[in-house]
Amino acid sequence: MSQPVNPANAAAEAPKIEFPCANYPVKILGQGKDDYAEVVFEIVRIHAPDCDFERIQIRDSRNSRFRAITLYITATGIDQLQNLHRDLMAHEYVQMVI
């Protein structure tokens, strides 16, 4: 007889990623400043120089107060992702990184 899955345990286990992981999406939400995209790209280039800058999607909020950027990198490991997240979040323009 199988045991029921405890939702608390299932939620605690993050999905496993096999590295390298091509086309790994990174979504960054921040202030709608004129130089916001350039700031984000500069940080991303440090951690993922192979980022496909041709596939970037940029969306402004209705009142242009916020800007969302979605880009795709080749994730090489958890350290790379943690360092990218840390450096993006350290910038005053960035509000959230997913």
Side-chain angles (χ1 to χ4, degrees):
M1 179 179 244
S2 65
Q3 294 186 353
V5 174
N6 180 342
N9 290 341
E13 290 185 32
K16 304 290 185 228
I17 301 171
E18 289 188 32
F19 296 103
C21 179
N23 298 311
Y24 185 86
V26 179
K27 298 179 184 194
I28 306 111
L29 178 66
Q31 299 176 16
K33 306 275 187 185
D34 289 339
D35 60 340
Y36 172 67
E38 288 78 23
V39 165
V40 167
F41 299 161
E42 212 173 284
I43 295 169
V44 169
R45 278 188 189 102
I46 293 167
H47 299 284
D50 64 339
C51 177
D52 185 356
F53 288 98
E54 298 296 318
R55 292 182 55 201
I56 291 173
Q57 300 167 359
I58 301 175
R59 288 180 225 81
D60 287 334
S61 65
R62 182 177 301 154
N63 62 4
S64 297
R65 185 172 169 212
F66 296 101
R67 184 166 293 147
I69 297 177
T70 302
L71 46 83
Y72 299 88
I73 66 170
T74 298
T76 58
I78 196 72
D79 288 340
Q80 175 205 33
L81 296 177
Q82 288 174 339
N83 291 334
L84 176 60
H85 184 271
R86 181 198 64 232
D87 288 356
L88 285 167
M89 289 301 297
H91 197 280
E92 64 182 309
Y93 289 177
V94 177
Q95 305 295 315
M96 186 182 333
V97 179
I98 302 173

